[in-house]
Every structure is written in structure tokens, then in C-alpha cells.
């Protein structure tokens, strides 16, 4: 890859709320490790209404943006190009600003999920369960399309969400069956369980963890561990956490924005762990 000039380049994470994002910790650590002394990475509170003006105000020193909720879909009409990965789930979490002024969108959450699982030795599963039906659940289905050879059961509340998940499955080429959230304890016996719900939602399921669970991928990282992840580990199951996902997707963002590869995965993970341990989540 061609390495961009290291002087005066900027990047940032945008979203609302944004105060507790770990992205600045991870990206700044990567810049330091890569010797990109002129690079800065900040955070900005930006909502959907403010996004067009923010983008229009960016100068040539800007290399890229990380996007969190509620901007992942809102940004799409404002871009010149999006990757097939981002188009598949209609969600962009990465914008690379090219030298000729183009805005190129991508989704690093999906390959980040796959990479986090592969790091723990999960290359392929014959079935899986997904807890939840939000934006992260659609990314989880896209990731499972790459590693799951059989059925995915999505546990959701309400028929509208169930229909949405089935539609995403058809679009992504995943065999999706939906089940009511009231039966979510059954999910815990799957070879791979992906929990995509907000903090506290799965706490009641912790008491239902089987004696010999397989693998849990819980996308939360603060607070950590979740009640479900803690009980899963206590029963000897493998746990992939939200920090694993955050670091792996950030590695891909750093590589795209800086043109430098590989990004320093281990250093970025350690920085994230230290920030969480110290409760200094930026």
C-alpha cells in the first residue's frame, strides 16, 4: 500500500451519544505504534441532522471517519461510493476521504466479527443463534453468512422484527428461522450464540446457561463481563467479547485510513483493556 503523508492528517469518530467511545484510544495507539506522529483522532457529537454540514466542512487534511449510531445508515446518501459489504447491510461505519475528494464508505464490523471469531478458532459452524434484531444483528447475519453452513435461529420480540430478520436472511443468503424472545434460553445450546442486545437485556438468561456451553459472542464491552458472559465462562464455554469486535474492526479502519498494514492489533487491544479497566472510556 502507498503510505500517505504523515503531517497534519486527521480522523475522528462521529455519533450521538459519543462520549464513551473507545475508538480514540484504539486509533491513537495505532498511530503511535505506526510512527504517524502528525495524525490526530478525535470524537465529535454529531446527529443525523448535523451530519451533512459536518461532512461538507471537512478539509483536505481529513483522512477518514468512524461512524456509530445513529449515523451508519444516514451517511449513505452523502457518499460517492460504498463497498459491497456495506451495501449488503445498508450500514456504513467507515468513511475514507480520498485525495481527490471522494467519500468512500465501508463496513468493517462484518469482517471484524469474522476475524474476532477466527482468532478464537471459530472458522465454521453448522448452526448458530442470534439474540436480538437491531442493526448489529443484521451485521451478525452477514458475518454468519461467511462461516455458518446451516440454519440461524433469531430470537426476537414481535412479528415485525421477526419479519425483518427473515428478510435480512434472504438478502444475505442465510437460512434464518425466527423464534420468540420468551424461548431465548433455547438459543444457549447452539454451537455459536451471538448476543446483539443492549446492556442488561440478556442478564436473565445467565441462569439458563447449560453445563457445557459452546461459544458465545457478546457484542457488549462496557460493562464487562455481562452476566451472561460471566456465567458462560464459569461453565467453561468460549467467550468472544465486544472489545474483540471493536479492536478488529478498528484495525481494518486504521489500515484503510492510513494505508499502513498491518495495524498493531495487540497494542490496540491492550490500550482498550487498560482504558476499560481504569474506567477511562473516551
Amino acid at each position: 500500500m502507498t503510505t500517505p503523508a504523515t503531517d497534519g492528517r486527521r480522523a475522528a469518530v462521529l455519533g450521538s451519544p459519543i462520549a464513551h467511545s473507545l475508538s480514540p484510544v484504539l486509533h491513537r495507539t495505532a498511530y503511535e505504534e505506526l510512527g504517524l506522529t502528525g495524525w490526530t483522532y478525535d470524537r465529535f457529537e454529531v446527529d443525523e441532522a448535523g451530519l451533512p454540514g459536518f461532512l461538507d466542512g471537512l478539509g483536505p487534511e481529513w483522512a477518514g471517519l468512524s461512524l456509530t449510531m445513529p449515523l451508519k445508515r444516514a451517511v449513505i446518501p452523502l457518499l460517492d461510493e460504498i463497498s459491497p459489504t456495506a451495501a449488503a447491510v445498508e450500514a456504513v461505519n467507515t468513511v475514507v476521504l480520498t485525495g481527490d475528494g471522494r467519500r468512500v464508505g465501508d463496513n468493517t464490523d462484518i469482517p471484524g466479527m469474522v476475524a474476532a471469531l477466527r482468532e478464537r478458532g471459530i472458522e465454521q459452524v453448522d448452526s448458530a443463534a442470534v439474540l436480538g434484531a437491531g442493526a448489529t444483528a443484521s451485521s451478525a447475519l452477514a458475518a454468519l453468512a461467511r462461516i455458518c453452513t446451516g440454519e440461524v435461529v433469531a430470537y426476537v420480540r414481535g412479528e415485525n422484527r421477526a419479519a425483518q430478520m427473515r428478510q435480512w436472511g434472504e438478502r444475505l443468503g442465510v437460512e434464518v428461522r425466527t423464534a420468540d424472545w420468551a424461548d431465548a434460553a433455547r438459543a444457549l445450546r447452539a454451537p455459536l450464540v451471538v448476543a446483539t442486545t443492549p446492556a442488561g437485556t440478556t442478564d436473565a438468561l445467565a441462569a439458563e446457561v447449560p453445563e457445557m456451553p459452546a461459544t458465545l459472542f457478546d457484542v457488549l464491552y462496557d460493562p464487562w463481563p455481562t452476566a451472561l458472559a460471566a456465567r458462560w465462562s464459569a461453565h467453561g464455554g468460549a467467550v468472544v467479547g465486544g472489545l474483540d469486535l471493536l479492536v478488529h474492526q478498528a484495525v481494518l479502519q486504521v489500515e484503510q485510513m492510513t494505508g499502513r498494514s498491518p495495524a498493531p492489533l495487540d497494542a490496540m487491544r491492550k490500550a482498550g483493556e487498560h482504558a476499560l479497566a481504569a474506567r477511562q472510556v473516551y
Side-chain angles (χ1 to χ4, degrees), residues 56-132:
D56 288 343
L58 299 180
E61 74 277 12
W62 282 85
L65 301 168
S66 308
L67 301 178
T68 186
M69 299 306 291
L71 305 179
K72 292 183 178 183
R73 182 166 295 177
V75 75
I76 292 176
L78 308 175
L79 301 176
D80 298 299
E81 178 186 343
I82 64 171
S83 70
T85 301
V89 292
E90 297 179 355
V92 167
N93 77 328
T94 306
V95 177
V96 174
L97 304 166
T98 66
D100 59 1
R102 290 171 56 78
R103 303 168 180 169
V104 180
D106 193 12
N107 186 310
T108 64
D109 285 332
I110 296 165
M113 285 184 178
V114 174
L117 287 166
R118 285 178 174 167
E119 186 178 38
R120 302 300 177 88
I122 309 299
E123 298 277 350
Q124 182 176 297
V125 292
D126 57 15
S127 63
V130 174
L131 301 175

Side-chain angles (χ1 to χ4, degrees), residues 1 9 31 33 46-47 70 104 112 121 129 131 134 149-150 167 199 205 221 223 235 240 250 277:
M1 290 185 177
R9 302 309 304 275
Y31 298 165
E33 292 289 321
V46 178
D47 60 15
V104 180
L131 301 175
T149 60
Q167 289 170 4
L205 295 176
Y221 65 82
H235 283 212
V240 183

Side-chain angles (χ1 to χ4, degrees), residues 142-195:
L144 289 170
R146 303 184 182 189
I147 67 167
C148 184
T149 60
E151 181 182 69
V152 176
V153 183
Y155 291 82
V156 301
R157 289 188 173 94
E159 179 51 36
N160 286 342
R161 291 184 176 182
Q164 289 174 358
M165 288 296 281
R166 290 192 295 268
Q167 289 170 4
W168 278 116
E170 291 177 8
R171 180 170 183 171
L172 295 166
V174 182
E175 182 185 351
V176 175
R177 177 168 62 86
T178 54
D180 191 87
W181 184 263
D183 296 322
R186 296 181 182 178
L188 308 185
R189 300 188 181 276
L192 172 62
V193 181
V194 185

